[in-house]
Each structure stands twice: as structure tokens, then as C-alpha cells.
Amino acid sequence: MIIANEMNMLRYGESLAVASEPGAIIFLKGELGAGKTTLARGFLRGLGFEGRVKSPTYALVESYELKSGSVFHFDLYRIQSPRELDDMGIQDYFLSSSILLIEWPERGEGFLPSPDVICELAIFDNSRDVKSVAHSLRGERMMERF
């Protein structure tokens, strides 16, 4: 899907959130500036979060407590080794009631659970090309609702 501007990326994220369910693991892949954090911001707004959504680039993870449950937004861009995820206790975030949004998941290979959905974002002229693909039964249910 070609997304022409930031507002449409926010709407895309909101729609994905509405289709999501507790325990969902969503990988966000794409180069710097592709819109991964904007999609995450829309996702959180779709779940009713009204506060500021900042990139977790330096903190590695931002936590959001919502009426519907917890959302953990990871940005693994800065990690040097997947082993760092084990050192930070990443398994503590893998709760069946939480939703995980993970930017740069390839940097955590071997320490991350399998995703339900992978969203791949690519810069296309002044737009973004976004492809969301299910990778589990939960992901298939989400994509049917999306």
C-alpha cells in the first residue's frame, strides 16, 4: 500500500491497532526515516493513547499502560549484539496480555519471539510503501480484520 503522508501513516497504524489483539507481536522493518515510529504513534492512538509518543531509540523500550493492556514499543537500532536484549531482561516483556511493537527486529534475532505480523516500510519517492504480512494464526486473524 502506498502511503502519501504522515496523516495516512497514522491512520494505517490506527487501523492495525483496531485489528490487533492481546499478545500480538508486530515487527516494524524499514530504513531510517521510513515511518516506523509514526506507524507506532498511530497504533497507540488507535488504542486510545493520547499522550506523547516518542521514539525509544535511546531508551530501547517505551512502555504504555492503556485500559486495554500494555504496549511495549522497542527500537533495537542501537544494540550492538542480540545478547544485549538478554542482559536487559527482554523476556520480562513477553506477556500474553501485552502487545509488542519492535523496530529493527533483525538486530534481536535469536532473542525475540516469532512475530504475528511483519510490517515492511520502504521509502518510495516522497511516499512510503507499506506491506503488512501475517506470520501466525493470530496474525492471520489480525490481517482479516485489518
Side-chain angles (χ1 to χ4, degrees), residues 13-14 16-20 41-49 66-71 99:
E14 289 173 4
L16 184 60
V18 170
S20 70
R41 185 177 303 117
F43 187 95
L44 286 156
R45 287 184 183 164
L47 293 178
F49 184 74
L66 308 168
K67 291 178 186 174
S68 59
S70 300
V71 176
I99 295 175

Side-chain angles (χ1 to χ4, degrees), residues 111-131:
F111 286 87
L112 295 175
S114 298
D116 294 302
V117 173
I118 296 178
C119 297
E120 294 196 44
L121 295 83
I123 298 171
F124 179 74
D125 293 327
N126 291 326
S127 307
R128 303 298 185 263
D129 185 11
V130 182
K131 294 179 181 131

Side-chain angles (χ1 to χ4, degrees), residues 16-49:
L16 184 60
V18 170
S20 70
E21 53 188 71
I25 298 168
I26 302 168
F27 285 1
L28 304 175
K29 294 184 168 189
E31 62 188 285
L32 286 171
K36 297 178 297 296
T37 299
T38 302
L39 190 154
R41 185 177 303 117
F43 187 95
L44 286 156
R45 287 184 183 164
L47 293 178
F49 184 74

Side-chain angles (χ1 to χ4, degrees), residues 36-38 40-42 44-45 49 51-64 72-75 101 103:
K36 297 178 297 296
T37 299
T38 302
R41 185 177 303 117
L44 286 156
R45 287 184 183 164
F49 184 74
R52 183 171 179 258
V53 176
K54 57 186 177 178
S55 174
T57 301
Y58 295 102
L60 295 182
V61 62
E62 292 289 340
S63 303
Y64 300 91
F72 299 109
H73 179 198
F74 293 87
D75 184 333
L101 302 174
E103 297 185 33

